[in-house]
């Protein structure tokens, strides 16, 4: 049996201290790990790079893979958003697929892994959702933001729609996004979206020409629902 003196040699985080026994034909070594733990490991495993720590290295790597954003079965808000983004673009069974993957919206290669996405976007602030600035653009750095859709902002937007928002609604609608989706993404109730899309409001800004006058009843109904929701 060939004996290799490994005393004092370093393998990853392990430093070989002294031979302590045998495992089959291999010599086992008492080692000290960088973290301070002592373990017994087979010399050939250490030389082959199969054993590099007391186990702390693997634990740390596993933690890094999970980013601490996927604890047990409950994902963090950021992780949920990342996963939902991929599903909208690549899972035809997703209810929003038609507005995303179905329209050719993709997730850039970098963001198909969670870590780069997290490092570019940061943690998702409470009450926000992932939004694309250019609705025809892809999910990629520079075209995404965490957009507040909190109840407060939602209500504010119901009562006061800015010219910019009116234009954004019409732009999104012209590019095929459904009214329900526009409402969800911008935090505007769908009656308001409908009103703008049909040119019944903000037409001087959006240039949308109303094709048909709404009936008095329909208009009143819309207004009533609008008030209900805004309240
Ligand atoms: Zn260790």
């Amino acid at each position: 049996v060939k004996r290799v003196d490994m005393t004092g040699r370093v393998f990853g985080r392990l430093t070989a201290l002294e031979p302590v026994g045998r495992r089959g034909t291999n010599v086992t070594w008492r080692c000290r790990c960088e973290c301070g733990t002592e373990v017994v490991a087979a010399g050939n495993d250490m030389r082959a790079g199969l054993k590099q720590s007391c186990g702390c290295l693997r634990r740390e790597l596993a933690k890094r893979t999970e980013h601490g954003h996927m604890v047990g079965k409950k994902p963090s808000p950021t992780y949920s958003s990342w996963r939902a983004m991929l599903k909208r673009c690549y899972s035809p069974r997703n209810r929003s697929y038609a507005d995303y993957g179905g329209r050719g919206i993709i997730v850039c290669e970098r963001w198909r892994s969670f870590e780069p996405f997290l490092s570019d976007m940061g943690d998702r602030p409470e009450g926000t959702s992932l939004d694309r600035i250019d609705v025809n653009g892809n999910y990629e750095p520079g075209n995404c933001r965490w957009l507040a859709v909190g109840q407060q902002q939602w209500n504010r937007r119901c009562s006061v729609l800015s010219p910019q928002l009116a234009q954004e609604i019409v732009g999104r609608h012209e590019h095929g996004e459904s009214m329900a989706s526009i409402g969800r993404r911008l935090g505007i109730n769908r009656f308001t979206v409908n009103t703008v899309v049909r040119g019944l409001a903000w037409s001087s800004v959006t240039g949308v020409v109303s094709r048909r006058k709404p009936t008095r009843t329909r208009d009143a109904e819309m207004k009533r629902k609008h008030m209900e929701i805004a309240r």
Side-chain angles (χ1 to χ4, degrees):
V1 178
K2 194 177 151 199
R3 299 202 59 151
V4 184
D5 184 16
M6 307 200 314
T7 309
R9 280 178 62 184
V10 176
F11 301 86
R13 294 185 175 184
L14 296 179
T15 302
L17 300 176
E18 57 172 357
V20 290
R22 293 190 162 276
R23 195 175 292 164
T25 57
N26 297 305
V27 177
T28 53
W29 287 75
R30 186 166 65 87
C31 306
R32 187 185 302 115
C33 183
E34 274 178 16
C35 70
T37 308
E38 283 196 4
V39 285
V40 172
N44 58 331
D45 283 351
M46 293 160 71
R47 289 193 298 276
L50 297 172
K51 184 73 180 170
Q52 299 186 65
S53 79
C54 70
C56 61
L57 182 63
R58 180 168 299 181
R59 280 194 300 275
E60 276 171 33
L61 286 174
K63 201 173 170 185
R64 201 178 301 166
T65 310
E66 291 174 358
H67 329 281
H69 280 256
M70 192 62 206
V71 181
K73 282 179 180 168
K74 197 174 183 300
S76 75
T78 315
Y79 194 89
S80 298
S81 285
W82 173 75
R83 208 166 49 180
M85 164 185 78
L86 288 170
K87 284 184 178 170
R88 284 195 294 275
C89 291
Y90 299 108
S91 173
R93 285 170 58 198
N94 186 275
R95 71 192 171 104
S96 298
Y97 178 80
D99 288 331
Y100 298 86
R103 288 208 296 128
I105 305 296
I106 62 162
V107 175
C108 70
E109 212 163 311
R110 177 175 162 78
W111 282 7
R112 288 180 201 168
S113 307
F114 179 68
E115 260 184 341
F117 172 79
L118 177 64
S119 110
D120 292 343
M121 290 299 296
D123 275 315
R124 183 178 110 189
E126 209 180 320
T128 67
S129 72
L130 186 62
D131 183 69
R132 281 162 310 136
I133 295 157
D134 170 7
V135 296
N136 295 307
N138 295 321
Y139 284 101
E140 59 195 1
N143 193 40
C144 288
R145 59 188 166 184
W146 295 118
L147 187 70
V149 287
Q151 190 64 32
Q152 242 183 342
Q153 180 152 5
W154 198 74
N155 283 346
R156 187 175 59 76
R157 283 182 166 179
C158 283
S159 50
V160 190
L161 202 60
S162 70
Q164 287 77 18
L165 269 175
Q167 278 171 323
E168 192 160 352
I169 289 171
V170 170
R172 283 173 180 257
H173 186 251
E174 278 174 354
H175 289 116
E177 191 167 347
S178 73
M179 288 192 237
S181 169
I182 294 169
R184 272 200 308 276
R185 306 303 290 172
L186 299 180
I188 298 164
N189 87 52
R190 64 196 170 92
F191 298 104
T192 306
V193 172
N194 184 291
T195 306
V196 173
V197 161
R198 290 166 63 215
L200 301 173
W202 293 96
S203 57
S204 61
V205 170
T206 62
V208 176
V209 179
S210 175
R211 257 176 286 155
R212 205 172 55 168
K213 276 255 180 245
T215 64
R216 190 177 290 261
T217 325
R218 196 195 296 157
D219 216 11
E221 174 74 355
M222 204 172 281
K223 198 169 180 182
R224 190 184 60 78
K225 284 183 176 168
H226 189 136
M227 293 304 291
E228 247 171 39
I229 291 165
R231 211 178 294 137

